[in-house]
Amino acid sequence: MKNVTKFYWNKYCYSDKRKASTKSISLSALTIIISLIFALIITCIIYKDFSLFSKIFADFFTLPFSQNTYVNSTISTIAIFMVAAVAFLIPMKSGLFNIGISGQMMFGGAIATIMAQHMIHTPNGLSQVLLLLISILSAAVISTLIGIFKAFWNVNEVVSSIMLNWIVYFIATMMVAKLCLGNGDGLYTKDLSNLDGHTPNLVFQTTSGESWLPLIILAITVTLFAAVLLMYTTFGKKIIMTGMSLSAAKYAGYSVKLNQILAMTISGIIAGIMGVMVYLGQNTTMPVQVAAKTIPQQGFVGISVGLIAMSNPWGILPVACLFGMIDGSKGGLSVNLGIDPSISDAIFGIVVYGAAVISIFYFLVPYQWYLRIFKGKVFANNYQQYINRINHYLDDAQSAIHYLKQRVNHKKNIEDHELILARLKEFKIHLNEHQPVTKQAFYQYSQQIYQAFFQYKNKSKAMLYQANNENEWTIK
């Protein structure tokens, strides 16, 4: 167990892949905590009461689940943020930055809201499916346009997304105002959850009026779809390859333009799903007039969630949960602590912004800087060579242990043992060709691999180059 612990400590310290993933998680958590502390300090200074620090911090994690109303709103918000992040990360993997998710969401939700006025007598279940398809198709049209502009005319997708956001906003609000039933004051459409006294067969809510269950089911489905698409399908690999290098994708024979257009189309489809989640789930009315014309914020928060999650579908859930709890506690802070709602929005904005600038910390390599400043460039380069050597031995040891573990799990003899012998050759370990790999043998071989790795690590460290003068090198 001691060798195993030391081995994985070395993986943590030296393996580039492990360091990258660990650094991503650590920096994400660190930036969120720092920005939250900074926001709370500013709030305490504004109110001249530093006792608010602990109270607000505690309420962030308790208020969202303290009452049924808060629970429904919080979980619904988490689900919406998850879907928004997925809508962002798929085109991001293809090298496109879709900042128009909010506009696409609103357009899909507006068309669905308009069509819902004529579906009062549609059976429950069928109406939700039809409205979902309508919203998906409407939003996909907008996102596909952005992809076409980028692929064929090289129009920057950020510029076209922003412009289409506002075009869609005014078109959608005008259409809803003209074609939907008003609620008397002309500000909102009539509540679709109780349209003309009918049961809520037009909205994504339970009969008791709760939206969190259908919305979280949609969110989990969308997230699983993105994970399977990107990690386990050929098309997903093509999208990723296109985002990594357009030239490499072209030389590999991929249709780069088609991949970018399809990635944006899929993003619009997911934004359409979010449209019904927001306007036919969490809310059951569609705003058509506001004093300050603003694009819905859910899409922009989804971008932040996607960036903090490093465009990883599995990283979306914890980040969305945190943002959902902060957003869900804003109303309770105003009631319990007398915090102005605008201050709550500012706290949320600081956390989102602070977490979004995480990429800055990826350029921090303090130990390398220390070596270059106090030990010299030569010593720093030698240290990097040492790291590369250790990475090589770590990969070999990890491969050998993984292969042994597979053979144990499948209860097979080592007959096709060429691979493992090749991996273990550098560690001077020879397996009996006819001996089955039992658990006891696996433990024995693993210990030999661990010990051999530490021997090679010490040997590699002793072989660090040391400069005798500016031009000559000898092995220490």
Side-chain angles (χ1 to χ4, degrees):
M1 189 62 191
K2 181 180 179 181
N3 286 332
V4 173
T5 304
K6 290 172 64 179
F7 177 78
Y8 280 100
W9 171 251
N10 278 276
K11 288 286 289 183
Y12 176 84
C13 293
Y14 297 104
S15 172
D16 289 338
K17 184 176 181 181
R18 181 65 60 87
K19 284 197 295 185
S21 59
T22 305
K23 189 172 185 179
S24 298
I25 297 171
S26 303
L27 288 181
S28 296
L30 181 62
T31 51
I32 291 173
I33 293 172
I34 291 175
S35 55
L36 179 59
I37 292 174
F38 180 71
L40 294 183
I41 291 175
I42 292 178
T43 304
C44 293
I45 293 174
I46 292 174
Y47 283 92
K48 300 179 181 179
D49 183 6
F50 279 87
S51 65
L52 290 174
F53 187 96
S54 58
K55 296 177 181 178
I56 296 176
F57 191 84
D59 284 351
F60 273 144
F61 301 98
T62 56
L63 281 177
F65 304 103
S66 60
Q67 301 177 18
N68 290 337
T69 304
Y70 289 153
V71 170
N72 181 63
S73 175
T74 300
I75 300 180
S76 299
T77 301
I78 291 172
I80 291 170
F81 288 169
M82 289 174 61
V83 175
V86 173
F88 167 76
L89 73 85
I90 290 181
M92 187 68 177
K93 288 289 188 180
S94 71
L96 301 179
F97 198 98
N98 185 10
I99 202 172
I101 299 171
S102 290
Q104 296 153 26
M105 171 201 76
M106 186 174 186
F107 189 72
I111 301 300
T113 300
I114 293 170
M115 296 303 297
Q117 313 293 308
H118 308 287
M119 298 174 60
I120 298 175
H121 301 289
T122 305
N124 197 5
L126 177 61
S127 58
Q128 283 90 343
V129 173
L130 292 176
L131 291 173
L132 184 63
L133 292 175
I134 291 169
S135 180
I136 285 173
L137 292 174
S138 303
V141 169
I142 305 300
S143 64
T144 304
L145 283 176
I146 299 172
I148 292 174
F149 291 155
K150 175 65 177 180
F152 290 99
W153 296 289
N154 199 27
V155 178
N156 187 283
E157 71 277 7
V158 175
V159 175
S160 58
S161 296
I162 293 174
M163 297 305 296
L164 282 173
N165 267 351
W166 286 105
I167 293 172
V168 164
Y169 173 84
F170 289 113
I171 291 177
T173 52
M174 180 189 69
M175 291 175 62
V176 172
K178 297 293 184 181
L179 301 178
C180 288
L181 300 173
N183 64 354
D185 56 12
L187 296 179
Y188 297 93
T189 56
K190 188 172 291 186
D191 188 349
L192 295 178
S193 64
N194 191 25
L195 191 60
D196 290 350
H198 284 78
T199 56
N201 65 319
L202 300 175
V203 295
F204 288 76
Q205 293 183 351
T206 62
T207 54
S208 60
E210 294 180 341
S211 61
W212 69 268
L213 181 59
L215 297 195
I216 202 67
I217 292 174
L218 284 173
I220 293 174
T221 303
V222 168
T223 305
L224 290 176
F225 164 77
V228 172
L229 175 70
L230 295 174
M231 297 180 181
Y232 304 108
T233 67
T234 302
F235 176 67
K237 299 302 181 183
K238 290 180 179 180
I239 289 179
I240 295 173
M241 176 63 73
T242 301
M244 293 176 65
S245 172
L246 290 176
S247 299
K250 289 179 181 178
Y251 285 123
Y254 301 155
S255 177
V256 172
K257 294 181 180 180
L258 180 61
N259 289 340
Q260 289 183 329
I261 294 173
L262 290 178
M264 287 299 296
T265 301
I266 295 174
S267 177
I269 290 173
I270 298 173
I273 295 175
M274 188 170 65
V276 297
M277 292 173 68
V278 173
Y279 297 115
L280 299 177
Q282 188 180 40
N283 303 311
T284 54
T285 56
M286 181 75 171
V288 295
Q289 293 180 11
V290 288
K293 302 262 188 305
T294 57
I295 303 295
Q297 298 300 305
Q298 290 89 344
F300 300 113
V301 176
I303 292 175
S304 299
V305 173
L307 289 174
I308 297 169
M310 304 301 161
S311 298
N312 187 332
W314 304 121
I316 286 174
L317 178 59
V319 181
C321 287
L322 177 63
F323 280 18
M325 288 190 295
I326 294 176
D327 185 77
S329 63
K330 291 191 296 187
L333 290 176
S334 178
V335 175
N336 292 359
L337 302 177
I339 302 296
D340 189 271
S342 60
I343 298 295
S344 301
D345 290 331
I347 294 174
F348 182 72
I350 291 173
V351 173
V352 172
Y353 183 80
V357 296
I358 183 177
S359 58
I360 295 176
F361 294 94
Y362 277 90
F363 299 99
L364 297 178
V365 282
Y367 189 62
Q368 292 279 10
W369 294 346
Y370 166 79
L371 292 180
R372 287 183 177 273
I373 294 173
F374 296 100
K375 298 287 186 178
K377 183 177 180 180
V378 170
F379 193 96
N381 291 338
N382 292 338
Y383 176 77
Q384 187 59 50
Q385 291 178 10
Y386 168 60
I387 295 298
N388 295 338
R389 185 183 296 272
I390 292 300
N391 276 331
H392 170 69
Y393 292 133
L394 274 171
D395 290 339
D396 281 343
Q398 187 72 8
S399 298
I401 294 171
H402 176 71
Y403 185 79
L404 279 171
K405 190 174 182 180
Q406 282 187 323
R407 306 304 293 176
V408 172
N409 292 339
H410 290 83
K411 298 181 180 179
K412 295 180 180 179
N413 294 342
I414 298 185
E415 296 173 356
D416 53 338
H417 60 282
E418 290 81 5
L419 176 61
I420 191 168
L421 287 179
R423 292 296 186 185
L424 299 181
K425 186 176 181 180
E426 293 191 29
F427 299 102
K428 300 178 180 179
I429 296 175
H430 302 284
L431 301 179
N432 188 325
E433 296 183 8
H434 306 289
Q435 181 179 355
V437 181
T438 62
K439 289 185 178 181
Q440 292 78 9
F442 168 71
Y443 178 78
Q444 177 186 354
Y445 297 149
S446 297
Q447 291 301 313
Q448 292 176 353
I449 293 171
Y450 292 138
Q451 293 171 6
F453 163 69
F454 296 127
Q455 292 174 4
Y456 272 97
K457 178 187 173 184
N458 295 332
K459 178 181 177 182
S460 176
K461 189 173 183 179
M463 292 175 62
L464 280 175
Y465 290 104
Q466 183 180 30
N468 289 337
N469 52 51
E470 292 184 357
N471 299 318
E472 286 189 34
W473 300 85
T474 58
I475 296 179
K476 182 178 178 181

